[in-house]
Amino acid sequence: MNPSEVTSRKSHKKLQPIGEILIGRGLLSREQLEETLRKQKETSKRLGEILVEDGVISQDQLNSALAERLGVESIGLEENDVDSLAATMIPEKLARRYGAIPIKFLDENTLQVAMVDPTNVFAIDDLRMMTGYDIKPAIATAEDIFNQISKVHRLGDTVDEEDLNGETEEETEAQATADIRDVASEAPIIKLVNGVISQGVDDRASDIHFEPQEKELAIRYRVDGVLHEVMSVPKRMQAGVLSRLKVMADIDIAERRIPQDGRIGLSVGGKPIDIRVASMPTVYGEKIVLRLLDKSSVLLNLSDLGFSEVALKRYEGAFRKPYGAILVTGPTGSGKSTTLYATLNVLNSREKNIITVEDPVEYRLGGINQTQINPKAGLTFASGLRAILRSDPDIVMVGEIRDKETAQIAIESALTGHLVLSTLHTNDAPGALTRLTEMGIEPFLTASAIECVLAQRLARKLCPECKEEYKPTDEALRQNGFPDKVIGQNISLYRPTGCSRCNKTGYKGRLGLYEVMLISEAIERLTVERKSADEISRVAQAEGMVTLRTDGLDKVINGLTSMEEIGRVII
């Protein structure tokens, strides 16, 4: 006999009867207990089951009493109480057979499992051997457990290999594919990796980080621009998880000393997902980051990005011109590429030859010629841009201006009758003009070529289901830079609280904050005179430019985001 079973049986002999616990809690009278015991002799049902059927107690009250009797936790399974990464540790058939579902990892060695019957030592032993973890049982209702099993193991959702348009045949054949949902017969490592990717897609993650630590492998999702740790994997599983990712991305699993890049083409739940994979060595092993690009949900309408009516009118007036340069600026992850794609979508027509050079081509747009740079083959932004100009373009999009050569060609293209769209890394719109000067571009060329600079950030939107209205103090408004016309007006703002719809964060989705600077004669003159970005900004504001902070505060007043969020994304 299994030692754990012997221990369990010995301990059960000393347990207080469930009827006495219910009487002690005032949920059951002595007369009701005796009547139920008589019924139990006539059936094969358990005492608690009869009491629930007769409406004497609820299922939750019974579970609470059983938890006290057995010394385990009673859990009400809500949607966010179950870590689906843990839940995929056991196959669906076994979960249904035992009425059990893993809830979460308590530490690197222990897995908590909700069970209909936590006294089933055979089930606990099986789960321990299958997962490799110590099992800590908890009790939950059968309805909750089987509902969660159905949610985690959704039937019919498969992962198919995607046609990676524009890639060579060798690259296409090298893409790893996996069935991310139906993985009951797969190895635990594969199930774990599939579960991480699947849950990342469900949680709207833009990136998944696999980070080796001294004693564990931490896994984090970037959701709405903020990283959240979702689980940690025991150190003994680290090599297997990282190798699985490298196999899927078709990169060298034996090479661990240098950074590597790859990609995976998958379809998750019917949605095509393109995954960019980057590895880099750290002191505790290789860190791997997956960037998830949902090709089916790219946002291509400018009106949906968060532009105010005035900002959109100013921006559209600039990119509708037949020539000139439009620069979109901001840090990495601020939505610059999405804005450029949305702009191209507006400009796209059969009468125009639109060509792009990007790194990488994140989303494919019909009717537009998109080129991906390949430095190993000599195709850089600069060389690609030269080739584009020999191809009779009307509109050119350069993914990023990184060096003087690319900047010089882009500026000259704008001066010779082309509409050029590109991105630049600066903190605000006026800073783009001084940045180009610092890169070695003559100020008079910059002033003549650029029509508009759009600076942007992404802020998290308040969850509409749980945002809470409150009255801020005038001092708080003043400290956060609200205009004088707002202070003293007894306005109402909103703040995050957190609910199941937003994963307890208080935020769901993101919106853009924009600063649109049109290049007027006055700004051209300041640029040629090599004036500072601050001086250019003062003139631009006098001419109608709304700063990033002011645009953000307007969105706070309109109940779209919070003061704390604006303070987080804008210095």
Side-chain angles (χ1 to χ4, degrees):
M1 185 178 292
N2 190 299
S4 63
E5 184 182 353
V6 174
T7 302
S8 178
R9 290 186 177 179
K10 285 182 179 179
S11 62
H12 284 178
K13 292 180 182 178
K14 302 174 185 179
L15 296 178
Q16 185 179 7
I18 189 66
E20 296 301 325
I21 294 176
L22 292 171
I23 290 175
R25 294 187 171 196
L27 300 173
L28 188 68
S29 67
R30 183 68 61 182
E31 291 76 15
Q32 287 173 315
L33 174 58
E34 292 174 357
E35 175 63 25
T36 307
L37 288 172
R38 283 194 294 270
K39 287 185 179 180
Q40 188 182 23
K41 291 178 181 179
E42 301 170 2
T43 67
S44 58
K45 295 180 180 179
R46 295 184 177 185
L47 179 71
E49 187 179 355
I50 297 172
L51 289 171
V52 172
E53 287 180 356
D54 289 349
V56 178
I57 60 173
S58 69
Q59 184 66 56
D60 288 338
Q61 289 171 330
L62 174 62
N63 280 359
S64 178
L66 286 171
E68 178 185 334
R69 178 175 184 262
L70 300 173
V72 299
E73 185 179 356
S74 176
I75 294 178
L77 297 182
E78 297 178 0
E79 184 175 352
N80 291 308
D81 289 334
V82 176
D83 182 343
S84 62
L85 304 179
T88 57
M89 293 293 290
I90 64 174
E92 182 181 6
K93 285 184 178 180
L94 198 65
R96 291 187 179 279
R97 181 193 306 165
Y98 289 137
I101 184 168
I103 300 172
K104 59 186 174 183
F105 298 92
L106 297 178
D107 54 47
E108 64 176 15
N109 297 313
T110 310
L111 185 65
Q112 187 173 36
V113 178
M115 304 179 69
V116 175
D117 181 10
T119 65
N120 188 339
V121 292
F122 298 106
I124 292 172
D125 287 343
D126 280 355
L127 296 177
R128 183 186 298 113
M129 287 187 292
M130 172 161 288
T131 64
Y133 285 84
D134 292 332
I135 303 299
K136 182 178 180 180
I139 189 168
T141 66
E143 181 181 4
D144 281 355
I145 288 176
F146 287 108
N147 282 343
Q148 290 297 332
I149 291 173
S150 297
K151 287 180 182 178
V152 171
H153 300 277
R154 296 185 182 110
L155 300 178
D157 290 339
T158 59
V159 172
D160 302 311
E161 185 170 1
E162 284 295 299
D163 178 15
L164 302 176
N165 297 324
E167 301 295 323
T168 66
E169 184 178 3
E170 291 77 15
E171 288 174 321
T172 302
E173 291 176 353
Q175 305 310 315
T177 61
D179 181 340
I180 295 203
R181 305 287 190 184
D182 187 12
V183 292
S185 62
E186 301 285 345
I189 290 293
I190 296 176
K191 287 191 291 182
L192 178 62
V193 171
N194 290 341
V196 170
I197 297 174
S198 174
Q199 187 63 35
V201 172
D202 290 343
D203 289 352
R204 301 176 294 107
S206 59
D207 303 85
I208 302 176
H209 293 241
F210 294 81
E211 301 176 329
Q213 305 296 323
E214 183 178 4
K215 297 181 179 179
E216 63 187 15
L217 174 67
I219 299 176
R220 298 197 289 172
Y221 291 162
R222 186 178 296 279
V223 180
D224 293 334
V226 178
L227 280 169
H228 304 275
E229 184 163 342
V230 293
M231 70 174 292
S232 60
V233 175
K235 194 72 175 178
R236 65 178 183 271
M237 298 175 68
Q238 175 178 308
V241 170
L242 299 182
S243 294
R244 172 61 183 167
L245 290 168
K246 293 170 77 172
V247 167
M248 293 175 73
D250 192 37
I251 56 181
D252 188 354
I253 63 172
E255 180 56 75
R256 301 172 184 171
R257 300 164 298 173
I258 60 174
Q260 297 187 77
D261 297 306
R263 65 182 296 197
I264 306 167
L266 300 174
S267 177
V268 182
K271 294 194 298 185
I273 305 294
D274 195 2
I275 303 176
R276 307 288 170 161
V277 183
S279 73
M280 63 177 294
T282 71
V283 291
Y284 295 121
E286 285 182 286
K287 172 185 171 76
I288 293 183
V289 178
L290 310 184
R291 167 149 290 190
L292 309 182
L293 303 174
D294 184 352
K295 294 184 285 187
S296 68
S297 63
V298 60
L299 188 60
L300 294 177
N301 295 316
L302 282 171
S303 58
D304 295 331
L305 297 180
F307 278 95
S308 67
E309 186 176 344
V310 173
L312 182 57
K313 186 175 181 180
R314 285 166 63 89
Y315 178 55
E316 189 166 3
F319 72 69
R320 290 288 188 182
K321 293 184 178 180
Y323 55 85
I326 309 291
L327 296 182
V328 181
T329 74
T332 301
S334 60
K336 301 186 298 295
S337 296
T338 300
T339 299
L340 286 182
Y341 280 121
T343 305
L344 288 178
N345 194 51
V346 174
L347 295 171
N348 192 8
S349 71
R350 292 184 177 275
E351 292 77 30
K352 295 175 182 175
N353 179 20
I354 303 176
I355 310 179
T356 75
V357 54
E358 307 170 55
D359 180 29
V361 176
E362 295 186 10
Y363 301 103
R364 292 167 177 81
L365 303 177
I368 294 178
N369 306 285
Q370 296 174 269
T371 304
Q372 182 163 313
I373 71 166
N374 186 350
K376 292 181 181 178
L379 180 56
T380 62
F381 277 121
S383 61
L385 187 49
R386 286 196 199 92
I388 287 174
L389 295 177
R390 294 193 294 269
S391 302
D392 186 31
D394 295 299
I395 299 172
V396 176
M397 196 264 272
V398 184
E400 183 183 344
I401 293 178
R402 296 178 178 173
D403 51 48
K404 178 182 177 181
E405 185 179 12
T406 305
Q408 188 77 42
I409 300 170
I411 293 297
E412 290 175 357
S413 303
L415 290 171
T416 55
H418 303 94
L419 180 64
V420 178
L421 309 176
S422 191
T423 69
L424 194 64
H425 286 275
T426 62
N427 288 328
D428 56 15
L433 302 178
T434 56
R435 172 70 180 133
L436 289 172
T437 301
E438 292 167 359
M439 292 175 72
I441 306 301
E442 289 294 335
F444 71 90
L445 292 176
T446 299
S448 300
I450 296 178
E451 292 292 331
C452 171
V453 181
L454 170 69
Q456 70 177 77
R457 298 288 190 280
L458 288 177
R460 292 179 293 173
K461 290 194 293 186
L462 285 167
C463 174
E465 302 295 331
C466 66
K467 64 181 181 180
E468 179 183 60
E469 185 177 358
Y470 73 104
K471 297 286 186 182
T473 64
D474 289 344
E475 181 60 26
L477 294 175
R478 193 173 289 109
Q479 289 179 352
N480 283 277
F482 281 83
D484 292 337
K485 64 180 180 180
V486 172
I487 298 173
Q489 297 301 311
N490 194 33
I491 63 171
S492 293
L493 301 182
Y494 291 86
R495 58 191 169 200
T497 56
C499 66
S500 61
R501 298 286 184 89
C502 59
N503 290 328
K504 309 295 185 184
T505 63
Y507 298 95
K508 188 173 183 181
R510 290 191 286 180
L511 77 163
L513 311 178
Y514 298 97
E515 180 177 280
V516 184
M517 184 179 75
L518 302 179
I519 309 302
S520 63
E521 290 184 8
I523 293 177
E524 284 186 27
R525 186 166 57 253
L526 292 174
T527 303
V528 172
E529 294 172 358
R530 297 176 185 263
K531 298 296 184 181
S532 69
D534 288 340
E535 292 179 89
I536 295 173
S537 179
R538 283 193 289 271
V539 172
Q541 290 180 57
E543 293 178 348
M545 182 186 80
V546 175
T547 64
L548 284 167
R549 174 167 285 277
T550 301
D551 188 44
L553 295 178
D554 286 342
K555 290 178 168 68
V556 171
I557 293 172
N558 291 327
L560 299 175
T561 188
S562 66
M563 285 196 299
E564 294 77 14
E565 181 65 7
I566 298 303
R568 183 184 70 85
V569 299
I570 300 176
I571 299 174

